[in-house]
């Protein structure tokens, strides 16, 4: 009897195991194995294989939250942030308390540059899990990057017209959200020739914001300026740009002052400039830029320009070339004085330059060196129609050195010096600025 009882209990245990096995969801073990395989492939950075495995797992187990979460994470790791945000959002919609899905959505927004949305998502996590380390760290980083700040600078220009310029100014800025920045600044410039001097004052207010989902950057500014002849002008700027991967296209309209000629001290020269530019700029990769401008001067004159450059990394330096063309409808060159009055009017200017640039870091100090030079040709048209015109060839060049060093955790000092030579003037320029956060 004792042996029969033992056998009955054994059969009962086997029956329980069989019933439990029948109740277990079909394919549960393969699901766990597939998820482990996906994570192994991702750890090896075999992204294509990991994504293919994750998608197949979701196809086989469409109701599995873990399968969908793993797919969303792989898409995030591959850098497809918009798609990852959509996948994580579906999981959050199913369960608002899914912390892992919320964290994935927040990281996708953060890594894509949408700090506004990322801050909301990370704070939503902290409301549910106040001690969540990743969320707390990310919120701190975003708020730190959006601290208000300042910049103050001064400098001077001396050229062979002769013409001297000494300037200084301060700017303060603040953020109304992590992607919307407001600035207010004021400055003054002292202009001096061999016979005359004048002061120029300005006040600037500006704002800019980013629309991350549309990859659009919008900027607007308004400057009030008192010109050397005591006339006041408002100088607006409106710019809109959009990113396309690593490239950026931008259109801008602005009113630009023209105070680089000594004859400007008797007037208030400015130009309304409509510009378009396409650029490709990524650290460690080739850089390209091309653009064009249409200028309408304050005295009714018109001008057009176009330029392009390419810069290619070669070891620790970058080498490249640039080309430019500029033209003006009416000349402002006076044959009696041999100078432009009151602004430079290039006519059929064609220019090509070679470029070399290098950057080095020594401890906390960064040094940037830039050299360019080439050949140019233009035609001189005189202000008076009866004067003959002539063509000339010259060799423009520029050399500059900039040094940047932190003075404290919240302040950075920048110093730069430049010497440039064109057919219009040869000039030396120095600048110093201090920038930091409050």
């Amino acid at each position: 009897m004792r042996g029969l009882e033992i056998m009955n209990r054994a059969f009962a245990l086997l029956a329980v195991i069989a019933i439990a096995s029948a109740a277990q969801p079909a394919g549960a073990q393969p699901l766990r194995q597939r998820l482990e395989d996906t994570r192994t492939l991702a750890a090896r950075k075999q992204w294509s294989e990991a994504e293919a495995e994750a998608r197949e797992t979701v196809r086989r187990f469409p109701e599995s939250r873990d399968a969908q979460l793993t797919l969303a994470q792989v898409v995030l790791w591959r850098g497809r942030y918009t798609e990852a945000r959509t996948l994580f959002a579906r999981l959050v919609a199913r369960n608002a308390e899914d912390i892992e899905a919320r964290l994935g959505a927040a990281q996708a927004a953060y890594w894509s540059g949408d700090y506004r949305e990322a801050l909301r998502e990370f704070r939503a996590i902290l409301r549910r899990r106040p001690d969540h380390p990743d969320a707390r760290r990310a919120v701190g980083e975003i708020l730190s990057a959006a601290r208000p700040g300042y910049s103050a600078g001064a400098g001077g220009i001396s050229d062979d017209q002769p013409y001297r310029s000494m300037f200084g100014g301060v700017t303060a800025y603040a953020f109304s959200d992590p992607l919307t920045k407001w600035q207010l600044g004021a400055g003054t410039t002292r202009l001096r020739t061999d016979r005359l001097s004048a002061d120029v004052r300005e006040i600037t207010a500006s704002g800019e914001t980013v629309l991350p989902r549309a990859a659009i950057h919008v900027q607007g500014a308004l400057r009030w300026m008192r010109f050397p002849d005591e006339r006041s002008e408002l100088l607006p700027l409106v710019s809109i740009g959009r990113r396309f991967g690593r490239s950026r296209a931008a259109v801008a309209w602005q009113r630009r002052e023209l105070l680089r000629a000594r004859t400007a001290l008797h007037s208030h020269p400015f130009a309304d400039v409509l510009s378009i530019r396409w650029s490709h700029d990524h650290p460690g990769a080739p850089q390209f830029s091309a653009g064009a401008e249409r200028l309408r001067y304050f005295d009714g004159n018109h001008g057009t320009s176009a330029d392009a450059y390419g810069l290619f990394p070669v070891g620790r330096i970058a080498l490249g070339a640039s080309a430019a063309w500029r033209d003006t409808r009416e000349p402002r060159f006076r044959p009696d004085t041999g100078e432009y009055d009151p602004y430079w009017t290039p006519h059929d200017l064609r220019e090509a330059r070679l470029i070399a640039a290098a950057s080095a870091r020594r401890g906390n100090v960064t040094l940037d060196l830039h050299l360019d030079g080439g050949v140019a040709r233009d035609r001189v048209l005189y202000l008076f129609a009866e004067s003959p015109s002539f063509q000339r060839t010259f060799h423009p060049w520029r050399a500059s050195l900039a040094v940047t060093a932190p003075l404290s955790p919240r302040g950075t000092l920048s110093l730069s010096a430049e010497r440039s030579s064109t057919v219009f003037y040869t000039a030396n320029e120095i600048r110093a600025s201090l920038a930091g956060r409050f």
Side-chain angles (χ1 to χ4, degrees):
M1 292 294 293
R2 180 65 177 170
L4 181 60
E5 182 179 355
I6 293 174
M7 290 181 62
N8 288 336
R9 288 182 179 180
F11 280 121
L13 178 60
L14 290 174
V16 170
I17 293 174
I19 293 172
S21 299
Q24 185 177 10
Q29 180 61 32
L31 170 60
R32 290 195 296 271
Q33 186 61 53
R34 295 188 72 90
L35 294 177
E36 290 177 6
D37 291 345
T38 300
R39 295 185 183 109
T40 299
L41 291 168
R44 295 173 181 169
K45 297 185 178 181
Q46 296 175 249
W47 304 118
S48 298
E49 295 85 348
E51 183 177 348
E53 184 77 7
R55 291 193 181 279
E56 178 62 19
T57 303
V58 170
R59 188 187 69 81
R60 293 191 182 187
F61 305 92
E63 298 303 318
S64 170
R65 173 263 185 192
D66 291 344
Q68 294 179 27
L69 179 66
T70 301
L71 174 60
Q73 290 171 334
V74 171
V75 172
L76 172 65
W77 295 333
R78 297 201 70 181
R80 302 208 303 274
Y81 304 124
T82 301
E83 182 181 354
R85 291 171 73 173
T86 300
L87 295 174
F88 284 120
R90 290 174 184 169
L91 292 169
V92 174
R94 288 172 54 179
N95 179 10
E97 303 303 316
D98 191 334
I99 298 298
E100 286 184 287
R102 281 192 173 276
L103 180 63
Q107 290 174 329
Y110 192 18
W111 297 350
S112 70
D114 190 351
Y115 305 131
R116 189 182 295 123
E117 180 65 21
L119 185 61
R120 284 196 292 264
E121 291 290 347
F122 283 123
R123 280 175 167 169
I125 294 172
L126 290 177
R127 285 194 295 270
R128 293 166 171 82
R129 292 268 302 276
D131 60 342
H132 196 288
D134 292 335
R136 290 180 66 85
R137 181 173 58 254
V139 168
E141 292 172 351
I142 294 172
L143 294 180
S144 178
R147 293 201 319 270
Y150 68 91
S151 64
I157 301 174
S158 174
D159 65 29
D160 57 359
Q161 297 183 51
Y163 181 56
R164 308 289 184 269
S165 172
M166 297 293 293
F167 50 85
V170 294
T171 300
Y173 61 86
F175 293 82
S176 56
D177 67 56
L179 293 176
T180 303
K181 182 179 180 181
W182 304 95
Q183 297 186 85
L184 184 63
T188 182
T189 303
R190 179 74 170 178
L191 304 176
R192 182 167 56 88
T193 70
D194 52 355
R195 296 182 179 179
L196 184 66
S197 64
D199 291 326
V200 176
R201 296 180 177 84
E202 64 177 285
I203 298 174
T204 304
S206 66
E208 58 184 292
T209 191
V210 178
L211 307 176
R213 290 185 180 271
I216 289 177
H217 178 271
V218 181
Q219 181 181 10
L222 188 62
R223 299 167 62 201
W224 171 87
M225 177 172 284
R226 171 80 73 174
F227 278 85
D229 64 352
E230 299 298 318
R231 174 164 171 167
S232 296
E233 290 285 347
L234 290 178
L235 310 178
L237 177 147
V238 179
S239 172
I240 181 169
R242 188 181 191 281
R243 295 205 68 86
F244 298 89
R246 294 181 177 179
S247 297
R248 182 177 185 270
V251 177
W253 178 85
Q254 66 173 311
R255 178 163 289 179
R256 183 188 302 165
E257 79 280 5
L258 305 172
L259 296 175
R260 295 301 291 266
R262 69 174 185 171
T263 51
L265 270 68
H266 303 282
S267 185
H268 54 278
F270 62 83
D272 292 333
V273 184
L274 178 64
S275 62
I276 183 170
R277 181 159 295 275
W278 172 80
S279 57
H280 179 95
D281 190 357
H282 189 73
Q287 301 177 32
F288 303 93
S289 181
E293 291 184 341
R294 179 64 174 171
L295 300 89
R296 186 180 185 279
Y297 297 95
F298 74 111
D299 56 5
N301 200 4
H302 289 83
T304 307
S305 69
D307 66 88
Y309 79 85
L311 205 57
F312 305 87
V314 181
R316 295 185 177 182
I317 65 173
L319 301 175
S322 67
W325 171 82
R326 295 179 175 86
D327 192 46
T328 314
R329 186 183 64 184
E330 299 176 2
R332 294 294 182 266
F333 188 81
R334 301 182 62 91
D336 53 335
T337 62
E339 60 187 353
Y340 292 94
D341 184 12
Y343 56 88
W344 179 42
T345 53
H347 186 77
D348 196 24
L349 169 65
R350 304 181 185 192
E351 176 185 290
R353 302 193 191 198
L354 297 178
I355 306 170
S359 181
R361 189 175 180 86
R362 296 291 183 270
N364 292 329
V365 179
T366 301
L367 292 89
D368 293 293
L369 175 67
H370 178 100
L371 301 170
D372 65 56
V375 61
R377 185 184 68 184
D378 73 348
R379 180 171 294 278
V380 176
L381 296 180
Y382 291 108
L383 186 60
F384 307 109
E386 63 271 13
S387 301
S389 66
F390 64 92
Q391 194 173 73
R392 58 187 173 181
T393 300
F394 55 97
H395 298 280
W397 60 273
R398 179 166 65 101
S400 67
L401 176 65
V403 181
T404 304
L407 295 182
S408 69
R410 295 191 176 186
T412 300
L413 175 67
S414 298
L415 303 172
S416 66
E418 178 181 299
R419 182 173 175 83
S420 60
S421 178
T422 71
V423 70
F424 183 32
Y425 62 81
T426 297
N428 298 310
E429 180 175 353
I430 58 172
R431 290 178 179 267
S433 66
L434 179 65
R437 300 292 184 100
F438 296 114

